[in-house]
Amino acid sequence: MTTTLATPPKRHSPAALAVFDELDSRVVDVFADIHAWRGWKFINNPKAPRPQSEAVLHEIRATTRWYQSHRAEAALALANHLPAEEADIVKALSDELADDPDAERHDYAALLGRPLAPACFAAAAIRARIAGTEHGLGLIGADYLFEQMGALIVQATEPAAPQAQATGETPLVIEPTPNLEQRAQMMKQLILDVVTRLPDSAAAMLRGFDCFRVVYPLRVWDEAYERALKGGDRFWPR
């Protein structure tokens, strides 16, 4: 179930359209960094050992679930800084676990009790700090990076299949998370609606995005990459 804001504005302000375009442009910049990242090159190298390539993807997925287990905490902290009539914002930022059809298998509650690896700790801490200040709506900018980056990563792997058939190679395919594109679109709508109603939130969203991109995704994923090449992490079984 994807959250829909109860009373979206009929027309978005020029400021809202401008801040969304800027956030989207910054996501594209981060995506370019991903393409230059050693882990991306490793995963997409058909000559790389398949077990190790799969191990890298396994660790990235596991890290995402690990990090996800802490996302709702920041959204609830944000609730303390918003008037009651803005409850839809908090719901939009915290309902992803409810959207996950594999939530029971992932056991998020158990993950909460495990020590976070350093980069994951930093990602959770940055989101908590953003949410716990007067600039808490910056959490929307941070979450747009998370959602839209996932959608772009999946899209980038789709064209590989026809090419693989022609060359005889079988590349790794990153399977999309259910509702991934819908959530990215929901975040876009949230940005446009909130900035239209609350123009001061634009600066907070840009700052939240920039603070979060310091650690996500490259720092978090590179940590997962190193774990994979060292044979996996002690935090969860394969």
Side-chain angles (χ1 to χ4, degrees), residues 83-174:
E85 59 267 25
E86 299 294 356
D88 281 347
I89 294 176
V90 176
K91 189 174 188 303
L93 293 173
S94 60
D95 72 350
E96 183 163 352
L97 300 189
D99 285 347
D100 187 351
D102 296 325
E104 292 183 6
R105 178 171 61 84
H106 290 166
D107 194 3
Y108 291 108
L111 288 174
L112 279 170
R114 301 182 183 187
L116 285 165
C120 283
F121 183 94
I126 286 174
R127 292 187 81 258
R129 177 62 182 168
I130 293 170
T133 69
E134 67 275 16
H135 303 296
L137 291 176
L139 203 59
I140 298 173
D143 271 17
Y144 183 66
L145 170 58
F146 184 90
E147 302 291 1
Q148 181 65 1
M149 182 57 58
L152 290 177
I153 291 293
V154 170
Q155 291 171 13
T157 65
E158 291 175 351
Q163 181 180 358
Q165 292 176 359
T167 61
E169 298 168 351
T170 306
L172 288 171
V173 177
I174 301 176

Side-chain angles (χ1 to χ4, degrees), residues 39-58:
W40 182 262
K41 292 178 179 179
F42 185 83
I43 291 171
N44 288 280
N45 181 0
K47 296 181 180 179
R50 187 60 175 256
Q52 284 154 315
S53 296
E54 291 176 343
V56 171
L57 286 180
H58 168 87

Side-chain angles (χ1 to χ4, degrees), residues 25-37:
S25 174
R26 294 185 189 189
V27 172
V28 172
D29 290 342
V30 176
F31 191 48
D33 292 339
I34 290 292
H35 277 273
W37 172 50

